[in-house]
Amino acid sequence: MSPEDPRTARTKARLRESLLAECADRPLGEVSVSAVVRRAGVGRATFYLHYEDLPALAVDACADVVHAAVDALHAWQTEPGTRAPARPPAALAGFLADAAAHGALYRTLLLPGGGGPLGERLHLELRARARAE
């Protein structure tokens, strides 16, 4: 897999930041592509060059929380037969505190029972981490 072009990476980062800023003001269902691209300073065609729709951008924007969740869950790991720690590990506590900032967006993408587009991504990353270990 070749590295991403720096211009593409910058554009995608601006779109992700723009979406998160828009979602701080209102739910994802009320956010428009027009508002996101206006805030990001890119054209609508550029948006569609990189993302199929707003939910695809939202999952990409929330990918960091998936990586943090996987790391936090693995920090909780104990040996079989040992008692769980009295307090959650610092990685898990930090993850939960940081996740609150975009909680409404995460709830839109992570459905009850772990479904939804963000849930699917989390499941895939957890499975990949488990297989690698």
Side-chain angles (χ1 to χ4, degrees):
M1 180 182 222
S2 63
E4 187 174 44
D5 182 293
R7 294 169 298 177
T8 298
R10 282 192 302 271
T11 299
K12 288 172 121 179
R14 286 184 12 217
L15 287 166
R16 288 190 301 265
E17 290 167 12
S18 176
L19 177 81
L20 292 174
E22 289 292 324
C23 287
D25 299 335
R26 59 186 172 273
L28 179 62
E30 295 177 14
V31 173
S32 68
V33 171
S34 297
V36 171
V37 298
R38 190 176 322 112
R39 187 183 284 255
V42 301
R44 193 176 187 88
T46 301
F47 172 87
Y48 286 109
L49 179 65
H50 299 293
Y51 298 103
E52 180 178 319
D53 53 20
L54 280 175
L57 170 58
V59 170
D60 191 37
C62 296
D64 287 343
V65 79
V66 171
H67 301 302
V70 170
D71 290 342
L73 289 170
H74 277 266
W76 186 272
Q77 202 171 14
T78 60
E79 294 297 318
T82 60
R83 297 179 70 186
R87 283 187 269 157
L92 184 56
F95 162 74
L96 293 172
D98 291 343
H102 300 292
L105 178 59
Y106 300 151
R107 282 189 292 279
T108 300
L109 300 171
L110 182 62
L111 303 177
L118 197 57
E120 291 171 19
R121 189 155 183 169
L122 178 60
H123 173 77
L124 290 173
E125 292 211 16
L126 281 169
R127 185 171 55 186
R129 173 73 75 85
R131 285 183 176 162
E133 290 178 351

